[in-house]
Amino acid sequence: MANFEKVVVETDLLILGGGMAACGAAVEAAYWAKQNGLKVTLVDKAAVDRSGAVAMGLSAINQYVGLKDGHNSIKDYVDYVRNDLMGITREDLVANIARHVDSSVHLFEKWGLPIWKDEQGGYVHEGRWQLMINGESYKVVVAEAAKNALLQSGVGEIFERIFIVGPLMDGDRCAGAVGFSVREDKFYIFKAKATVAAMGGAVHVFKPRSAGEGLGRAWYPPWNSGSSAYFTIAAGAEMTCQEVRFIPVRFKDAYGPVGAWFLLFKSRATNATGGNYMVERVGELEKWGPYGRVKPIPANLRNYLGMLDILEGKGPIYMRTEEAIQKIADTYKDDPKEYKKKMKELESEAWEDFLDMTISQAILWAASNVQPEERSSEIAAAEPYFIGSHSGASGAWVSGPEDLQTDDTRKDYFWGYANMCTVKGLFAAGDASGASSHKFSSGSHAEGRITAKAAIKFIVENNTLPKVDDNEIGLKMAEVLKPLDTYEKHKNETTDPEINPNYIKPRMFMFRLQKIMDEYAAGISAQFSTNESQLNRALELLAMLREDSDKLAAENHHELMRCWENIHRMWQAEAHVRTVLFRQETRWPGYYFRADKPKLDEEKWHVFANCKYDPKAAKWEVFSRPVRHVFPKA
Ligand SMILES: Cc1cc2nc3c(=O)[nH]c(=O)nc-3n(C[C@H](O)[C@H](O)[C@H](O)COP(=O)(O)OP(=O)(O)OC[C@H]3O[C@@H](n4cnc5c(N)ncnc54)[C@H](O)[C@@H]3O)c2cc1C
């Protein structure tokens, strides 16, 4: 076996990930740990300052309820999320985040994040729930607060560049995690009384639009690879909404954000003949039950109307940037000086929107001579991603807060500690927890805080370090490092290290996974459409891929990480395919279309589709859970 030093870390609370949810968890945990004499350990595969989906920065905070100003109520937010998710949402979880999210935003501002202000000193809203920010350093600001909270209080420690592979178990209780350094020959064993999974969602499960020379460019940053899903599945936790992937429509090829264009600049998107699918296809919305009639129209239905244009050969679809800018500037047309000033301001806002969060879009515009005030830009539906905190909903099935349960919901939605999975001592937040979408960066931070507080309560009430069998640790270490051994053993049996009958490199393994998902599980090549036969074929091919994962080979630490990233993706893929197969209807056209079950079926399928893997029996189970209401429906 590869010669790695074994490092054992014992802690009370283990936070896995260093993104928005983990940083929220760190801030809250530091406070409660100090009160209770506990230790907190945070582990990130990267450097917390610039890790996760917010690494590059953001141009807007997408969840701010504005409770203080009386702008909206918690119920308003729940109504919005329920409608956007076509009726399938955990209202207790969404409401819990909504009532705490504003305080996370106020903390960001206190820590130094510049939030745009209007002339009266109020926040500038991009849309009803979104605030405009100068957010290129958003993650640095949030990370600094988390690091200060853990390190200055003396309760915490932070490990960076440690890739977490999977859980440690003590019977039915989570006992921590194992991982390895991506820089040094070190294998880590983290033993903990409670563990928070907050390792984000998953990208590159599906073949991306950007292949070949553009590989790595995706809407979702490439470093979140399904580790949260793998960790919770491998621990035996119940998962939810695994079918609810997210397909963002973004500026084509560099995936620049469209929010500011649609919401702030009030831009239209039109097809190649100038037609506006949101107007011309409005009748289509009637087919999608009550959800087609609500405002705002659910994200997947908006996608779907554009996709119908593409299928009819009316593409490309364009964001009419020139028209939107002109319309705003025209209000100043009688004053040439003000007009010129406004045009300059709009132009700089347009570029800054990209420079704040998707720099490559600005580079692509510059490289292809796009001047948004003069010329429209193409937009397109991206490949599917798993991001339960955004407009998808996949993640672990977690307990809701006690005080928001009704007699009805208490049976299914509550088992003691907020955000605890169905596995004792294992908690999930951000993209890792499901059925509570639209929490975004701010809501993920708030959910991290909620989760850490509940996890500390769990520790105080279950204050024993779970036992971990040394034998199990030895087996795990051998399993984790095996790709290095496989490479060493067979590397000389070929003239090209990339090709060898005895092993598969992670890059080729990823291409194989992506091809399966793309062609059979409704990826871009399949025009986001699938059916039962295709899904069954995907499962057959995934089973063979799983068999071959035993032959993954790694030349170095970096490739070892790539091997495990792809194993994580593979499990996320299987959970997805099994759940899409289970749900016998099309509920989210625009995310995926079940061509053999092309309609919404409210009577039978107004339910959650949950799944669970039994690691001992090596068997999946997929089943439904009721959708229950905490608030009366709007
Ligand atoms: C392209 C894009 C644009 C967005 N735009 C906005 C926006 O404008 N406004 C807004 O409010 N929200 C936006 N969001 C949503 C927001 O970024 C997410 O909701 C939020 O980051 C989720 O928090 P998280 O902690 O779950 O995941 P992340 O913040 O992504 O953090 C995941 C963490 O896990 C770590 N990790 C992953 N795997 C491992 C492993 N195996 N071992 C150890 N650590 C691991 C990562 O390094 C990272 O630190 C956007 C998201 C994306 C992808």
Side-chain angles (χ1 to χ4, degrees):
M1 187 169 57
N3 190 17
F4 272 44
E5 181 193 342
K6 217 192 250 182
V7 183
V8 180
V9 178
E10 288 190 2
T11 189
D12 293 304
L13 179 63
L14 179 62
I15 301 172
L16 301 177
M20 291 306 289
C23 286
V27 167
E28 191 77 22
Y31 175 82
W32 294 106
K34 193 150 180 96
Q35 313 283 315
N36 292 284
L38 300 173
K39 178 180 164 189
V40 183
T41 302
L42 182 145
V43 188
D44 193 351
K45 82 191 260 197
V48 183
D49 272 353
R50 287 281 180 195
S51 68
V54 184
M56 219 185 319
L58 294 179
S59 53
I61 287 174
N62 281 356
Q63 189 187 5
Y64 182 73
V65 179
L67 289 174
K68 197 171 62 153
D69 310 324
H71 283 150
N72 299 297
S73 67
I74 292 166
K75 180 179 176 302
D76 290 335
Y77 203 76
V78 171
D79 288 343
Y80 159 60
V81 177
R82 188 202 304 114
N83 287 330
D84 204 73
L85 269 292
M86 306 292 280
I88 309 296
T89 202
R90 278 276 300 276
E91 297 181 7
D92 58 333
L93 300 177
V94 175
N96 199 20
I97 296 166
R99 65 182 170 172
H100 288 105
V101 70
D102 291 359
S103 60
S104 269
V105 174
H106 299 151
L107 283 172
F108 300 157
E109 191 172 25
K110 189 174 126 195
W111 295 332
L113 179 72
I115 306 183
W116 291 17
K117 293 282 175 58
D118 60 21
E119 276 156 16
Q120 287 75 43
Y123 292 139
V124 173
H125 279 254
E126 185 187 49
R128 181 171 177 187
W129 312 104
Q130 298 85 355
L131 303 181
M132 294 301 292
I133 57 175
N134 288 102
E136 68 280 359
S137 296
Y138 186 6
K139 184 66 204 305
V140 182
V141 169
V142 171
E144 185 184 44
K147 289 199 281 191
N148 285 346
L150 285 184
L151 304 179
Q152 288 177 5
S153 63
V155 301
E157 58 186 352
I158 296 176
F159 290 83
E160 293 183 328
R161 304 195 192 283
I162 310 293
F163 184 84
I164 292 296
V165 174
L168 275 179
M169 299 298 291
D170 175 9
D172 63 354
R173 180 173 171 183
C174 182
V178 293
F180 57 88
S181 163
V182 297
R183 297 267 164 101
E184 301 169 295
D185 292 347
K186 287 184 180 170
F187 180 77
Y188 281 85
I189 300 129
F190 295 98
K191 296 183 181 174
K193 293 173 187 164
T195 302
V196 176
M199 293 173 281
V203 60
H204 284 151
V205 175
F206 282 81
K207 188 170 138 210
R209 280 196 187 275
S210 304
E213 88 296 339
L215 183 69
R217 186 70 223 122
W219 172 76
Y220 197 156
W223 36 80
N224 285 350
S225 56
S227 298
S228 299
Y230 175 80
F231 195 93
T232 42
I233 292 170
E238 186 171 327
M239 306 297 287
T240 191
C241 298
Q242 292 298 307
E243 75 280 40
V244 195
R245 42 146 97 205
F246 176 44
I247 294 187
V249 167
R250 293 293 182 269
F251 283 96
K252 189 164 176 296
D253 296 331
Y255 303 86
V258 295
W261 284 100
F262 279 134
L263 298 173
L264 193 70
F265 299 140
K266 311 274 183 251
S267 178
R268 297 188 308 150
T270 57
N271 63 30
T273 61
N276 181 346
Y277 53 86
M278 295 304 295
V279 175
E280 291 173 357
R281 294 193 183 273
V282 77
E284 175 67 30
L285 295 173
E286 287 300 316
K287 296 183 191 159
W288 301 99
Y291 315 110
R293 289 188 284 273
V294 294
K295 290 273 177 307
I297 299 164
N300 73 89
L301 292 181
R302 280 180 273 141
N303 283 1
Y304 184 55
L305 300 189
M307 285 173 187
L308 290 174
D309 267 14
I310 295 285
L311 283 172
E312 269 183 22
K314 292 183 175 167
I317 306 286
Y318 293 102
M319 179 73 82
R320 302 295 301 273
T321 55
E322 79 299 354
E323 184 188 83
I325 288 185
Q326 196 58 54
K327 223 163 140 190
I328 301 172
D330 273 356
T331 43
Y332 298 85
K333 67 176 181 303
D334 299 330
D335 182 343
K337 215 166 138 204
E338 270 307 304
Y339 178 85
K340 213 169 150 198
K341 198 170 136 209
K342 192 66 191 170
M343 279 301 272
K344 271 251 154 300
E345 194 184 304
L346 290 169
E347 194 193 327
S348 93
E349 277 174 10
W351 285 89
E352 191 185 321
D353 184 43
F354 294 155
L355 291 170
D356 270 354
M357 63 184 286
T358 316
I359 296 158
S360 45
Q361 183 69 58
I363 295 171
L364 183 66
W365 265 9
S368 45
N369 300 332
V370 173
Q371 286 175 314
E373 66 280 19
E374 284 177 8
R375 183 178 162 189
S376 306
S377 275
E378 243 184 283
I379 56 173
E383 62 279 2
Y385 308 104
F386 298 91
I387 176 162
S389 68
H390 204 288
S391 308
S394 55
W397 182 246
V398 296
S399 174
E402 184 165 15
D403 67 316
L404 286 181
Q405 304 305 324
T406 64
D407 289 348
D408 209 22
T409 63
R410 188 172 276 271
K411 301 192 274 276
D412 308 289
Y413 296 174
F414 175 70
W415 49 95
Y417 300 92
N419 281 70
M420 189 164 86
C421 301
T422 55
V423 168
K424 232 168 119 185
L426 176 58
F427 293 73
D431 291 325
S433 78
S436 53
S437 54
H438 291 273
K439 43 198 164 187
F440 301 103
S441 61
S442 45
S444 295
H445 190 271
E447 197 187 23
R449 289 167 50 214
I450 293 164
T451 305
K453 189 173 172 186
I456 296 272
K457 184 167 184 277
F458 172 88
I459 294 170
V460 170
E461 292 171 4
N462 299 269
N463 208 345
T464 49
L465 195 64
K467 290 187 200 63
V468 190
D469 184 19
D470 275 349
N471 204 28
E472 192 196 326
I473 291 177
L475 289 174
K476 280 219 182 296
M477 185 167 170
E479 184 194 354
V480 169
L481 302 181
K482 189 174 174 194
L484 291 170
D485 301 335
T486 304
Y487 181 79
E488 261 324 291
K489 192 165 161 206
H490 296 291
K491 67 178 185 195
N492 294 326
E493 296 161 17
T494 177
T495 48
D496 179 354
E498 292 302 310
I499 302 160
N500 191 311
N502 298 296
Y503 64 66
I504 180 166
K505 283 290 202 84
R507 194 178 161 89
M508 289 301 164
F509 186 89
M510 183 180 78
F511 290 153
R512 220 172 113 184
L513 171 68
Q514 290 179 346
K515 184 171 163 63
I516 298 169
M517 296 305 285
D518 181 54
E519 293 179 358
Y520 299 101
I524 41 172
S525 311
Q527 298 287 5
F528 310 107
S529 176
T530 185
N531 63 31
E532 186 175 331
S533 308
Q534 284 175 317
L535 292 163
N536 278 323
R537 180 71 183 132
L539 285 177
E540 263 174 39
L541 293 169
L542 284 173
M544 285 187 243
L545 187 71
R546 175 128 63 105
E547 229 175 275
D548 288 349
S549 66
D550 197 42
K551 300 272 192 315
L552 272 162
E555 206 172 327
N556 49 41
H557 294 85
H558 187 70
E559 277 196 354
L560 184 63
M561 178 179 76
R562 290 282 185 249
C563 288
W564 281 102
E565 284 179 345
N566 287 316
I567 292 177
H568 291 178
R569 289 187 175 108
M570 181 182 72
W571 282 82
Q572 171 65 85
E574 188 167 344
H576 180 60
V577 172
R578 286 184 184 280
T579 319
V580 174
L581 188 59
F582 176 75
R583 183 179 279 284
Q584 304 275 306
E585 63 161 357
T586 294
R587 180 163 292 260
W588 297 276
Y591 288 171
Y592 74 86
F593 199 84
R594 270 285 302 255
D596 53 343
K597 306 277 175 198
K599 290 190 181 145
L600 182 79
D601 183 350
E602 276 288 82
E603 209 175 300
K604 283 204 199 115
W605 287 100
H606 189 88
V607 290
F608 292 104
N610 285 9
C611 66
K612 197 174 157 176
Y613 182 74
D614 177 349
K616 284 199 195 94
K619 267 185 111 160
W620 283 95
E621 195 191 342
V622 192
F623 48 93
S624 64
R625 293 266 184 209
V627 172
R628 300 191 190 280
H629 299 289
V630 170
F631 296 94
K633 274 207 270 178

